Amino acid sequence: MSDNGGAPYGPGSADEPTSFGLQPPRPQPSYVPHPDNPYAQPAPAPAAQPTQVAPPRQPDPGAGRVVAGRYRLLSKLGNGGMGTVWRAKDETVDREVAVKEPRLPDQLPERERSKAFERMRREARAAARLDHPAVVNVHDVAVEDGQPWIVMEFVQGRSLGEALQEGTLGVREAARVGLEVLGALEAAHAAGILHRDVKPDNVMLGRHDRVVLTDFGIAHIEGETNLTDTGGFVGSPEFIAPERVLGQRPGPASDLWSLGVVLYAATEGVSPFRRSNTPATLQSVLNATPAAPASARGPLADAINGLLQKDPAHRPNAAQVRALLERAAEPPVQPPTQVVRIGSAQGGIRLGRKALTGIAAGVVVLAAVAYLVLARPFAGPLPDGWEKHRVPELKATVAAPAGYTESKPGADAPKGAHWVQYTDASGAVWVSLSVRRKAEDSLNEIAKDGAAQAYADNKDFESSGDSNIGMASEPAPKGDPKPTTYKGDDEAGANTIAYQTSETSGSLKREVRILYVKAKGDMYELMIGYPREGDFADRGREVADAAVANLEIENS
């Protein structure tokens, strides 16, 4: 297999021959059951929480070099087929970036080197043209010794491929990740761009539940010169769609096939088409049908089975896939209310997408209580009709109106999930408390005090836009961080964030109140979510006032 181009996406492109004597899909496919698949990897126990890719202890060769007079290389983040990705410091604007260094064999002819460098420049143009939170931001293309170095945003986190070395994803998490990747692909396809190499290693899992699709280095842009030699294509063999293997003209359905393979591997722990060599892998793409998903159920299984149809004409389109994944990502319904999980796979409760967008306006039947605002002293008398809930695992007591349904992390929750939530039967108002443990803070995300945490988190909320505040639509989420007091601690923090959800059933204006208190190195976050406008906005703010006033932290 060569790595020098891909079949074009666009009218007027002829089909191309393929190699290895591969045979088209057979009418009766052979099945590959899980027990007989030698490429399934055993899943070790999950780590306490995902961490950013760590640099080696010894400096990498080349570390300290300054590229284009401004980008100082710090450490290697990873290697790909066409280059090495470095963590670097942009010394002009004082920020960390990721820089992709071109890497080509010394014996490669000059013509091939020129084509490869053109492909890297094309990666930058492809990604820079796209405006989507799940597409990596490209800042610059720096030329050093005639070679293009692509400068991108530094996404703190790790790849999906690395995460899958520790175990598979649950149905809801896989659907959430799939929705983000699908959104990136929809944006690319609308701009006439095929990604052509969708795989777990090119999906980054960042902070605050952000998912980013990277590496458009082999993407084809409609209207640009095709860099493919006859009979060749690029991409990772086990994720390449059958039509590309046969040298046929690819389209958006080819990227969707790759997404289906990613979702299968993410939930089943098996790379369904991988074999011991490239020809065998490509042959399995054409003829082998993996066993039906066992871990993925319901709409997610339907999406995977549909995407892995050999004939692209039989695959669901992006809109159909989105509908299935949205259903799969919905939180489970537990009578008498829908339990909304607020959390992040990286530990601690964050303003996750489903936690905010899944809360719909409804009728609140509890009596209105006007009580205690944030600026007043804490630990006032408990309002009538309220209950206090001691949560031993959090070493805290949370107050909420009687009748609110309690939810906590389940048995399958990742390590580092420390939270409790109380939700009104309508789903319109909720009270939650989470703790970020100092012992689990490998990324040093806990600030020096509650006030500093409020400002730091608000910066992330507002700068990341809809990636952090539950698919918020325009305008961007807006917070109001400020110092406050908690039982004499004048370094606590508070924030009130206004945001707007993007729902198929209609946009909802919401608000969330947050109190930050640091106790013995751990960061406590009390959050209350409620409608920002409408009949229940005042009731929600009353609940927030009383919940803040009656929080009790044993470590403080």
Side-chain angles (χ1 to χ4, degrees):
M1 187 179 75
S2 66
D3 188 25
N4 55 2
Y9 163 41
S13 301
D15 292 349
E16 297 177 352
T18 185
S19 55
F20 306 123
L22 299 172
Q23 300 299 315
R26 295 189 291 269
Q28 298 297 325
S30 58
Y31 286 83
V32 184
H34 293 289
D36 297 331
N37 190 323
Y39 307 102
Q41 299 295 323
Q49 69 179 56
T51 60
Q52 182 178 329
V53 178
R57 295 185 179 181
Q58 297 298 323
D60 294 308
R65 177 183 178 184
V66 178
V67 176
R70 65 182 291 183
Y71 304 110
R72 184 174 298 278
L73 306 183
L74 302 177
S75 60
K76 290 182 180 179
L77 294 174
N79 295 307
M82 290 181 58
T84 299
V85 180
W86 291 82
R87 183 171 65 92
K89 179 70 171 293
D90 184 346
E91 297 184 335
T92 300
V93 296
D94 191 26
R95 68 176 172 187
E96 284 194 341
V97 294
V99 178
K100 186 170 184 178
E101 172 192 9
R103 186 187 62 188
L104 300 174
D106 294 336
Q107 68 275 17
L108 195 66
E110 183 59 33
R111 176 173 174 268
E112 297 300 320
R113 295 176 67 87
S114 298
K115 291 169 68 175
F117 287 150
E118 173 59 25
R119 187 177 299 117
M120 293 193 73
R121 286 191 290 268
R122 192 170 64 182
E123 170 182 354
R125 289 198 297 271
R129 283 172 53 176
L130 303 178
D131 182 15
H132 192 278
V135 175
V136 66
N137 291 322
V138 173
H139 300 313
D140 188 15
V141 179
V143 178
E144 183 85 357
D145 297 329
Q147 299 180 354
W149 294 60
I150 300 174
V151 183
M152 303 165 285
E153 66 170 313
F154 177 53
V155 181
Q156 294 192 44
R158 60 178 179 175
S159 72
L160 176 60
E162 291 169 313
L164 295 182
Q165 295 299 313
E166 298 178 359
T168 57
L169 301 184
V171 170
R172 289 177 57 201
E173 180 66 6
R176 185 188 73 83
V177 172
L179 279 168
E180 294 299 311
V181 175
L182 178 64
L185 291 176
E186 287 177 309
H189 297 163
I193 300 169
L194 294 183
H195 186 280
R196 309 170 78 86
D197 198 21
V198 179
K199 60 182 180 181
D201 287 344
N202 284 339
V203 178
M204 288 295 297
L205 307 179
R207 299 173 58 193
H208 311 307
D209 290 340
R210 189 180 179 202
V211 178
V212 183
L213 181 61
T214 67
D215 205 348
F216 280 77
I218 62 174
H220 175 79
I221 306 176
E222 185 176 5
E224 290 198 357
T225 302
N226 178 30
L227 301 183
T228 305
D229 285 343
T230 301
F233 54 83
V234 290
S236 304
E238 62 197 279
F239 297 97
I240 291 176
E243 60 269 23
R244 288 192 58 208
V245 175
L246 294 173
Q248 298 171 358
R249 184 177 64 199
S254 302
D255 279 345
L256 294 181
W257 161 280
S258 301
L259 174 59
V261 181
V262 168
L263 291 173
Y264 189 104
T267 54
E268 303 303 302
V270 176
S271 182
F273 302 111
R274 188 188 307 168
R275 300 296 183 268
S276 60
N277 55 68
T278 295
T281 297
L282 297 177
Q283 192 69 68
S284 72
V285 169
L286 290 176
N287 292 297
T289 300
S295 298
R297 303 176 300 277
L300 180 59
D302 293 340
I304 293 173
N305 290 332
L307 290 172
L308 296 187
Q309 293 291 319
K310 304 293 186 184
D311 185 349
H314 293 162
R315 293 173 206 151
N317 59 32
Q320 293 168 324
V321 175
R322 176 169 293 280
L324 291 170
L325 294 182
E326 285 178 343
R327 288 171 52 198
E330 290 176 354
V333 177
Q334 298 182 4
T337 184
Q338 176 175 306
V339 177
V340 181
R341 173 184 178 273
I342 298 183
S344 166
Q346 301 187 29
I349 293 185
R350 297 301 182 100
L351 296 177
R353 176 168 291 101
K354 291 303 175 184
L356 295 177
T357 60
I359 299 173
V363 177
V364 179
V365 297
L366 300 175
V369 179
Y371 213 84
L372 296 174
V373 296
L374 185 63
R376 294 184 60 181
F378 286 79
L382 192 69
D384 292 338
W386 278 59
E387 297 177 343
K388 287 190 175 183
H389 306 271
R390 184 174 181 273
V391 189
E393 60 270 30
L394 301 185
K395 296 183 179 180
T397 297
V398 182
Y404 276 33
T405 299
E406 181 183 79
S407 55
K408 295 181 178 181
D412 59 345
K415 293 182 179 180
H418 312 294
W419 56 271
V420 65
Q421 179 173 307
Y422 299 91
T423 308
D424 173 60
S426 69
V429 182
W430 48 262
V431 178
S432 72
L433 179 68
S434 68
V435 185
R436 305 188 210 182
R437 300 293 188 196
K438 178 181 179 181
E440 299 169 353
D441 186 32
S442 61
L443 293 180
N444 296 319
E445 293 182 304
I446 296 179
K448 65 177 182 178
D449 54 46
Q453 194 73 62
Y455 284 101
D457 282 2
N458 188 70
K459 182 178 179 181
D460 286 342
F461 297 153
E462 293 187 349
S463 64
S464 299
D466 64 0
S467 66
N468 284 338
I469 308 294
M471 297 181 68
S473 60
E474 295 295 337
K478 183 64 176 176
D480 182 25
K482 61 184 64 175
T484 188
T485 59
Y486 172 81
K487 293 185 177 179
D489 175 11
D490 58 2
E491 295 183 334
N495 198 1
T496 301
I497 301 172
Y499 66 99
Q500 192 165 322
T501 67
S502 297
E503 294 286 321
T504 56
S505 58
S507 179
L508 303 176
K509 294 182 178 180
R510 301 279 302 175
E511 191 168 280
V512 64
R513 176 93 61 84
I514 312 176
L515 171 68
Y516 296 90
V517 179
K518 193 171 185 179
K520 294 186 177 180
D522 297 338
M523 186 63 68
Y524 285 76
E525 300 174 25
L526 178 68
M527 303 187 206
I528 307 93
Y530 46 87
R532 178 157 49 101
E533 297 181 4
D535 291 344
F536 310 118
D538 289 342
R539 170 58 179 169
R541 294 186 177 100
E542 292 166 357
V543 170
D545 292 340
V548 166
N550 286 277
L551 175 66
E552 298 176 12
I553 299 175
E554 297 173 14
N555 288 335
S556 61

PDB file of all heavy atoms in Angstrom, residues 375-405:
ATOM      1  N   ALA A 375     -24.878  36.542  49.056  1.00  0.00           N
ATOM      2  CA  ALA A 375     -24.046  37.457  49.830  1.00  0.00           C
ATOM      3  C   ALA A 375     -24.330  37.389  51.327  1.00  0.00           C
ATOM      4  O   ALA A 375     -23.573  37.918  52.130  1.00  0.00           O
ATOM      5  CB  ALA A 375     -24.237  38.882  49.338  1.00  0.00           C
ATOM      6  N   ARG A 376     -25.439  36.733  51.763  1.00  0.00           N
ATOM      7  CA  ARG A 376     -25.797  36.708  53.163  1.00  0.00           C
ATOM      8  C   ARG A 376     -25.045  35.602  53.884  1.00  0.00           C
ATOM      9  O   ARG A 376     -24.507  34.698  53.265  1.00  0.00           O
ATOM     10  CB  ARG A 376     -27.313  36.509  53.301  1.00  0.00           C
ATOM     11  CG  ARG A 376     -28.104  37.692  52.768  1.00  0.00           C
ATOM     12  CD  ARG A 376     -29.576  37.507  53.008  1.00  0.00           C
ATOM     13  NE  ARG A 376     -29.865  37.368  54.444  1.00  0.00           N
ATOM     14  CZ  ARG A 376     -31.092  37.175  54.919  1.00  0.00           C
ATOM     15  NH1 ARG A 376     -32.109  37.078  54.114  1.00  0.00           N
ATOM     16  NH2 ARG A 376     -31.290  37.062  56.212  1.00  0.00           N
ATOM     17  N   PRO A 377     -25.034  35.596  55.213  1.00  0.00           N
ATOM     18  CA  PRO A 377     -24.300  34.572  55.962  1.00  0.00           C
ATOM     19  C   PRO A 377     -24.819  33.183  55.639  1.00  0.00           C
ATOM     20  O   PRO A 377     -25.984  32.991  55.299  1.00  0.00           O
ATOM     21  CB  PRO A 377     -24.562  34.950  57.422  1.00  0.00           C
ATOM     22  CG  PRO A 377     -24.888  36.406  57.395  1.00  0.00           C
ATOM     23  CD  PRO A 377     -25.610  36.629  56.094  1.00  0.00           C
ATOM     24  N   PHE A 378     -23.936  32.190  55.818  1.00  0.00           N
ATOM     25  CA  PHE A 378     -24.287  30.810  55.510  1.00  0.00           C
ATOM     26  C   PHE A 378     -24.949  30.138  56.710  1.00  0.00           C
ATOM     27  O   PHE A 378     -24.963  30.653  57.820  1.00  0.00           O
ATOM     28  CB  PHE A 378     -23.043  30.031  55.098  1.00  0.00           C
ATOM     29  CG  PHE A 378     -22.574  30.400  53.731  1.00  0.00           C
ATOM     30  CD1 PHE A 378     -21.854  31.553  53.514  1.00  0.00           C
ATOM     31  CD2 PHE A 378     -22.878  29.602  52.635  1.00  0.00           C
ATOM     32  CE1 PHE A 378     -21.427  31.907  52.255  1.00  0.00           C
ATOM     33  CE2 PHE A 378     -22.450  29.944  51.381  1.00  0.00           C
ATOM     34  CZ  PHE A 378     -21.731  31.097  51.183  1.00  0.00           C
ATOM     35  N   ALA A 379     -25.441  28.929  56.431  1.00  0.00           N
ATOM     36  CA  ALA A 379     -26.012  28.055  57.467  1.00  0.00           C
ATOM     37  C   ALA A 379     -27.209  28.691  58.158  1.00  0.00           C
ATOM     38  O   ALA A 379     -27.337  28.655  59.374  1.00  0.00           O
ATOM     39  CB  ALA A 379     -24.952  27.665  58.485  1.00  0.00           C
ATOM     40  N   GLY A 380     -28.090  29.271  57.371  1.00  0.00           N
ATOM     41  CA  GLY A 380     -29.321  29.790  57.932  1.00  0.00           C
ATOM     42  C   GLY A 380     -30.299  28.646  58.179  1.00  0.00           C
ATOM     43  O   GLY A 380     -30.026  27.496  57.875  1.00  0.00           O
ATOM     44  N   PRO A 381     -31.463  28.931  58.753  1.00  0.00           N
ATOM     45  CA  PRO A 381     -32.442  27.878  59.011  1.00  0.00           C
ATOM     46  C   PRO A 381     -32.930  27.241  57.722  1.00  0.00           C
ATOM     47  O   PRO A 381     -33.031  27.909  56.687  1.00  0.00           O
ATOM     48  CB  PRO A 381     -33.574  28.610  59.734  1.00  0.00           C
ATOM     49  CG  PRO A 381     -33.415  30.046  59.335  1.00  0.00           C
ATOM     50  CD  PRO A 381     -31.951  30.264  59.162  1.00  0.00           C
ATOM     51  N   LEU A 382     -33.208  25.961  57.778  1.00  0.00           N
ATOM     52  CA  LEU A 382     -33.649  25.222  56.594  1.00  0.00           C
ATOM     53  C   LEU A 382     -35.073  25.623  56.237  1.00  0.00           C
ATOM     54  O   LEU A 382     -35.955  25.641  57.106  1.00  0.00           O
ATOM     55  CB  LEU A 382     -33.579  23.719  56.865  1.00  0.00           C
ATOM     56  CG  LEU A 382     -33.736  22.806  55.663  1.00  0.00           C
ATOM     57  CD1 LEU A 382     -32.509  22.930  54.755  1.00  0.00           C
ATOM     58  CD2 LEU A 382     -33.874  21.350  56.127  1.00  0.00           C
ATOM     59  N   PRO A 383     -35.362  25.965  54.983  1.00  0.00           N
ATOM     60  CA  PRO A 383     -36.734  26.338  54.601  1.00  0.00           C
ATOM     61  C   PRO A 383     -37.711  25.190  54.842  1.00  0.00           C
ATOM     62  O   PRO A 383     -37.342  24.017  54.837  1.00  0.00           O
ATOM     63  CB  PRO A 383     -36.604  26.645  53.104  1.00  0.00           C
ATOM     64  CG  PRO A 383     -35.154  26.932  52.888  1.00  0.00           C
ATOM     65  CD  PRO A 383     -34.423  26.067  53.858  1.00  0.00           C
ATOM     66  N   ASP A 384     -38.963  25.529  55.031  1.00  0.00           N
ATOM     67  CA  ASP A 384     -40.000  24.513  55.177  1.00  0.00           C
ATOM     68  C   ASP A 384     -40.068  23.660  53.909  1.00  0.00           C
ATOM     69  O   ASP A 384     -39.958  24.168  52.796  1.00  0.00           O
ATOM     70  CB  ASP A 384     -41.362  25.171  55.419  1.00  0.00           C
ATOM     71  CG  ASP A 384     -41.431  25.865  56.780  1.00  0.00           C
ATOM     72  OD1 ASP A 384     -40.631  25.497  57.666  1.00  0.00           O
ATOM     73  OD2 ASP A 384     -42.277  26.778  56.923  1.00  0.00           O
ATOM     74  N   GLY A 385     -40.272  22.374  54.095  1.00  0.00           N
ATOM     75  CA  GLY A 385     -40.399  21.476  52.952  1.00  0.00           C
ATOM     76  C   GLY A 385     -39.064  21.049  52.372  1.00  0.00           C
ATOM     77  O   GLY A 385     -39.033  20.458  51.294  1.00  0.00           O
ATOM     78  N   TRP A 386     -37.961  21.331  53.046  1.00  0.00           N
ATOM     79  CA  TRP A 386     -36.628  20.934  52.573  1.00  0.00           C
ATOM     80  C   TRP A 386     -36.076  19.793  53.419  1.00  0.00           C
ATOM     81  O   TRP A 386     -36.527  19.564  54.549  1.00  0.00           O
ATOM     82  CB  TRP A 386     -35.666  22.128  52.638  1.00  0.00           C
ATOM     83  CG  TRP A 386     -35.784  23.067  51.459  1.00  0.00           C
ATOM     84  CD1 TRP A 386     -36.904  23.745  51.061  1.00  0.00           C
ATOM     85  CD2 TRP A 386     -34.742  23.431  50.554  1.00  0.00           C
ATOM     86  NE1 TRP A 386     -36.632  24.515  49.954  1.00  0.00           N
ATOM     87  CE2 TRP A 386     -35.303  24.350  49.626  1.00  0.00           C
ATOM     88  CE3 TRP A 386     -33.404  23.102  50.433  1.00  0.00           C
ATOM     89  CZ2 TRP A 386     -34.568  24.925  48.590  1.00  0.00           C
ATOM     90  CZ3 TRP A 386     -32.649  23.670  49.417  1.00  0.00           C
ATOM     91  CH2 TRP A 386     -33.234  24.563  48.505  1.00  0.00           C
ATOM     92  N   GLU A 387     -35.096  19.102  52.874  1.00  0.00           N
ATOM     93  CA  GLU A 387     -34.424  18.023  53.586  1.00  0.00           C
ATOM     94  C   GLU A 387     -32.918  18.197  53.447  1.00  0.00           C
ATOM     95  O   GLU A 387     -32.425  18.692  52.434  1.00  0.00           O
ATOM     96  CB  GLU A 387     -34.818  16.648  53.007  1.00  0.00           C
ATOM     97  CG  GLU A 387     -36.286  16.313  53.151  1.00  0.00           C
ATOM     98  CD  GLU A 387     -36.626  14.980  52.489  1.00  0.00           C
ATOM     99  OE1 GLU A 387     -35.806  14.513  51.675  1.00  0.00           O
ATOM    100  OE2 GLU A 387     -37.692  14.421  52.777  1.00  0.00           O
ATOM    101  N   LYS A 388     -32.187  17.730  54.481  1.00  0.00           N
ATOM    102  CA  LYS A 388     -30.732  17.688  54.403  1.00  0.00           C
ATOM    103  C   LYS A 388     -30.286  16.250  54.162  1.00  0.00           C
ATOM    104  O   LYS A 388     -30.814  15.323  54.776  1.00  0.00           O
ATOM    105  CB  LYS A 388     -30.110  18.234  55.693  1.00  0.00           C
ATOM    106  CG  LYS A 388     -30.219  19.737  55.840  1.00  0.00           C
ATOM    107  CD  LYS A 388     -29.374  20.239  57.016  1.00  0.00           C
ATOM    108  CE  LYS A 388     -29.388  21.759  57.083  1.00  0.00           C
ATOM    109  NZ  LYS A 388     -28.524  22.272  58.178  1.00  0.00           N
ATOM    110  N   HIS A 389     -29.331  16.091  53.263  1.00  0.00           N
ATOM    111  CA  HIS A 389     -28.840  14.762  52.896  1.00  0.00           C
ATOM    112  C   HIS A 389     -27.345  14.697  53.196  1.00  0.00           C
ATOM    113  O   HIS A 389     -26.540  15.365  52.536  1.00  0.00           O
ATOM    114  CB  HIS A 389     -29.070  14.496  51.403  1.00  0.00           C
ATOM    115  CG  HIS A 389     -30.491  14.686  50.974  1.00  0.00           C
ATOM    116  ND1 HIS A 389     -31.423  13.677  51.006  1.00  0.00           N
ATOM    117  CD2 HIS A 389     -31.145  15.789  50.501  1.00  0.00           C
ATOM    118  CE1 HIS A 389     -32.592  14.133  50.561  1.00  0.00           C
ATOM    119  NE2 HIS A 389     -32.446  15.416  50.255  1.00  0.00           N
ATOM    120  N   ARG A 390     -26.976  13.908  54.196  1.00  0.00           N
ATOM    121  CA  ARG A 390     -25.547  13.729  54.462  1.00  0.00           C
ATOM    122  C   ARG A 390     -25.000  12.712  53.470  1.00  0.00           C
ATOM    123  O   ARG A 390     -25.568  11.623  53.286  1.00  0.00           O
ATOM    124  CB  ARG A 390     -25.306  13.251  55.891  1.00  0.00           C
ATOM    125  CG  ARG A 390     -23.810  13.157  56.215  1.00  0.00           C
ATOM    126  CD  ARG A 390     -23.546  12.813  57.671  1.00  0.00           C
ATOM    127  NE  ARG A 390     -22.104  12.763  57.900  1.00  0.00           N
ATOM    128  CZ  ARG A 390     -21.351  11.680  57.717  1.00  0.00           C
ATOM    129  NH1 ARG A 390     -21.921  10.552  57.324  1.00  0.00           N
ATOM    130  NH2 ARG A 390     -20.044  11.712  57.931  1.00  0.00           N
ATOM    131  N   VAL A 391     -23.892  13.063  52.815  1.00  0.00           N
ATOM    132  CA  VAL A 391     -23.274  12.205  51.803  1.00  0.00           C
ATOM    133  C   VAL A 391     -21.890  11.811  52.328  1.00  0.00           C
ATOM    134  O   VAL A 391     -20.912  12.557  52.151  1.00  0.00           O
ATOM    135  CB  VAL A 391     -23.158  12.931  50.447  1.00  0.00           C
ATOM    136  CG1 VAL A 391     -22.726  11.959  49.360  1.00  0.00           C
ATOM    137  CG2 VAL A 391     -24.479  13.605  50.072  1.00  0.00           C
ATOM    138  N   PRO A 392     -21.776  10.670  52.987  1.00  0.00           N
ATOM    139  CA  PRO A 392     -20.501  10.311  53.644  1.00  0.00           C
ATOM    140  C   PRO A 392     -19.321  10.255  52.690  1.00  0.00           C
ATOM    141  O   PRO A 392     -18.215  10.672  53.045  1.00  0.00           O
ATOM    142  CB  PRO A 392     -20.799   8.926  54.245  1.00  0.00           C
ATOM    143  CG  PRO A 392     -22.281   8.884  54.394  1.00  0.00           C
ATOM    144  CD  PRO A 392     -22.823   9.672  53.245  1.00  0.00           C
ATOM    145  N   GLU A 393     -19.538   9.748  51.475  1.00  0.00           N
ATOM    146  CA  GLU A 393     -18.418   9.609  50.552  1.00  0.00           C
ATOM    147  C   GLU A 393     -17.868  10.959  50.106  1.00  0.00           C
ATOM    148  O   GLU A 393     -16.717  11.068  49.672  1.00  0.00           O
ATOM    149  CB  GLU A 393     -18.814   8.778  49.328  1.00  0.00           C
ATOM    150  CG  GLU A 393     -19.952   9.338  48.502  1.00  0.00           C
ATOM    151  CD  GLU A 393     -21.325   8.862  48.950  1.00  0.00           C
ATOM    152  OE1 GLU A 393     -21.488   8.582  50.161  1.00  0.00           O
ATOM    153  OE2 GLU A 393     -22.218   8.765  48.093  1.00  0.00           O
ATOM    154  N   LEU A 394     -18.686  12.008  50.205  1.00  0.00           N
ATOM    155  CA  LEU A 394     -18.225  13.354  49.878  1.00  0.00           C
ATOM    156  C   LEU A 394     -17.858  14.151  51.123  1.00  0.00           C
ATOM    157  O   LEU A 394     -17.335  15.265  51.006  1.00  0.00           O
ATOM    158  CB  LEU A 394     -19.302  14.118  49.096  1.00  0.00           C
ATOM    159  CG  LEU A 394     -19.764  13.525  47.767  1.00  0.00           C
ATOM    160  CD1 LEU A 394     -20.742  14.478  47.079  1.00  0.00           C
ATOM    161  CD2 LEU A 394     -18.592  13.226  46.861  1.00  0.00           C
ATOM    162  N   LYS A 395     -18.157  13.610  52.314  1.00  0.00           N
ATOM    163  CA  LYS A 395     -17.926  14.312  53.571  1.00  0.00           C
ATOM    164  C   LYS A 395     -18.610  15.678  53.545  1.00  0.00           C
ATOM    165  O   LYS A 395     -18.014  16.720  53.833  1.00  0.00           O
ATOM    166  CB  LYS A 395     -16.434  14.454  53.858  1.00  0.00           C
ATOM    167  CG  LYS A 395     -15.721  13.133  54.061  1.00  0.00           C
ATOM    168  CD  LYS A 395     -14.260  13.327  54.414  1.00  0.00           C
ATOM    169  CE  LYS A 395     -13.577  11.975  54.627  1.00  0.00           C
ATOM    170  NZ  LYS A 395     -12.137  12.131  54.983  1.00  0.00           N
ATOM    171  N   ALA A 396     -19.890  15.649  53.182  1.00  0.00           N
ATOM    172  CA  ALA A 396     -20.641  16.893  53.067  1.00  0.00           C
ATOM    173  C   ALA A 396     -22.122  16.600  53.252  1.00  0.00           C
ATOM    174  O   ALA A 396     -22.574  15.441  53.164  1.00  0.00           O
ATOM    175  CB  ALA A 396     -20.399  17.556  51.721  1.00  0.00           C
ATOM    176  N   THR A 397     -22.885  17.656  53.496  1.00  0.00           N
ATOM    177  CA  THR A 397     -24.338  17.567  53.597  1.00  0.00           C
ATOM    178  C   THR A 397     -24.952  18.551  52.612  1.00  0.00           C
ATOM    179  O   THR A 397     -24.574  19.735  52.583  1.00  0.00           O
ATOM    180  CB  THR A 397     -24.810  17.892  55.027  1.00  0.00           C
ATOM    181  OG1 THR A 397     -24.271  16.919  55.930  1.00  0.00           O
ATOM    182  CG2 THR A 397     -26.334  17.857  55.110  1.00  0.00           C
ATOM    183  N   VAL A 398     -25.882  18.062  51.812  1.00  0.00           N
ATOM    184  CA  VAL A 398     -26.513  18.865  50.776  1.00  0.00           C
ATOM    185  C   VAL A 398     -27.990  19.027  51.108  1.00  0.00           C
ATOM    186  O   VAL A 398     -28.663  18.044  51.464  1.00  0.00           O
ATOM    187  CB  VAL A 398     -26.357  18.209  49.394  1.00  0.00           C
ATOM    188  CG1 VAL A 398     -26.987  19.083  48.308  1.00  0.00           C
ATOM    189  CG2 VAL A 398     -24.893  17.947  49.081  1.00  0.00           C
ATOM    190  N   ALA A 399     -28.493  20.228  50.971  1.00  0.00           N
ATOM    191  CA  ALA A 399     -29.908  20.497  51.208  1.00  0.00           C
ATOM    192  C   ALA A 399     -30.638  20.611  49.877  1.00  0.00           C
ATOM    193  O   ALA A 399     -30.112  21.170  48.914  1.00  0.00           O
ATOM    194  CB  ALA A 399     -30.081  21.773  52.010  1.00  0.00           C
ATOM    195  N   ALA A 400     -31.870  20.080  49.841  1.00  0.00           N
ATOM    196  CA  ALA A 400     -32.700  20.156  48.635  1.00  0.00           C
ATOM    197  C   ALA A 400     -34.159  20.040  49.046  1.00  0.00           C
ATOM    198  O   ALA A 400     -34.476  19.487  50.106  1.00  0.00           O
ATOM    199  CB  ALA A 400     -32.344  19.034  47.659  1.00  0.00           C
ATOM    200  N   PRO A 401     -35.076  20.568  48.243  1.00  0.00           N
ATOM    201  CA  PRO A 401     -36.492  20.420  48.558  1.00  0.00           C
ATOM    202  C   PRO A 401     -36.896  18.953  48.657  1.00  0.00           C
ATOM    203  O   PRO A 401     -36.360  18.095  47.949  1.00  0.00           O
ATOM    204  CB  PRO A 401     -37.186  21.113  47.373  1.00  0.00           C
ATOM    205  CG  PRO A 401     -36.179  22.099  46.871  1.00  0.00           C
ATOM    206  CD  PRO A 401     -34.862  21.409  47.045  1.00  0.00           C
ATOM    207  N   ALA A 402     -37.812  18.661  49.539  1.00  0.00           N
ATOM    208  CA  ALA A 402     -38.311  17.293  49.684  1.00  0.00           C
ATOM    209  C   ALA A 402     -38.912  16.818  48.367  1.00  0.00           C
ATOM    210  O   ALA A 402     -39.548  17.582  47.647  1.00  0.00           O
ATOM    211  CB  ALA A 402     -39.356  17.236  50.795  1.00  0.00           C
ATOM    212  N   GLY A 403     -38.687  15.579  48.030  1.00  0.00           N
ATOM    213  CA  GLY A 403     -39.238  15.006  46.804  1.00  0.00           C
ATOM    214  C   GLY A 403     -38.276  15.002  45.647  1.00  0.00           C
ATOM    215  O   GLY A 403     -38.534  14.353  44.632  1.00  0.00           O
ATOM    216  N   TYR A 404     -37.161  15.712  45.763  1.00  0.00           N
ATOM    217  CA  TYR A 404     -36.162  15.666  44.700  1.00  0.00           C
ATOM    218  C   TYR A 404     -35.524  14.267  44.677  1.00  0.00           C
ATOM    219  O   TYR A 404     -35.261  13.675  45.725  1.00  0.00           O
ATOM    220  CB  TYR A 404     -35.071  16.712  44.926  1.00  0.00           C
ATOM    221  CG  TYR A 404     -35.428  18.094  44.414  1.00  0.00           C
ATOM    222  CD1 TYR A 404     -36.744  18.566  44.438  1.00  0.00           C
ATOM    223  CD2 TYR A 404     -34.441  18.938  43.917  1.00  0.00           C
ATOM    224  CE1 TYR A 404     -37.051  19.828  43.975  1.00  0.00           C
ATOM    225  CE2 TYR A 404     -34.741  20.211  43.460  1.00  0.00           C
ATOM    226  CZ  TYR A 404     -36.053  20.655  43.488  1.00  0.00           C
ATOM    227  OH  TYR A 404     -36.369  21.907  43.035  1.00  0.00           O
ATOM    228  N   THR A 405     -35.275  13.746  43.494  1.00  0.00           N
ATOM    229  CA  THR A 405     -34.730  12.401  43.334  1.00  0.00           C
ATOM    230  C   THR A 405     -33.205  12.428  43.392  1.00  0.00           C
ATOM    231  O   THR A 405     -32.566  13.227  42.710  1.00  0.00           O
ATOM    232  CB  THR A 405     -35.167  11.787  41.989  1.00  0.00           C
ATOM    233  OG1 THR A 405     -36.591  11.703  41.970  1.00  0.00           O
ATOM    234  CG2 THR A 405     -34.584  10.387  41.808  1.00  0.00           C
TER     235      THR A 405
END
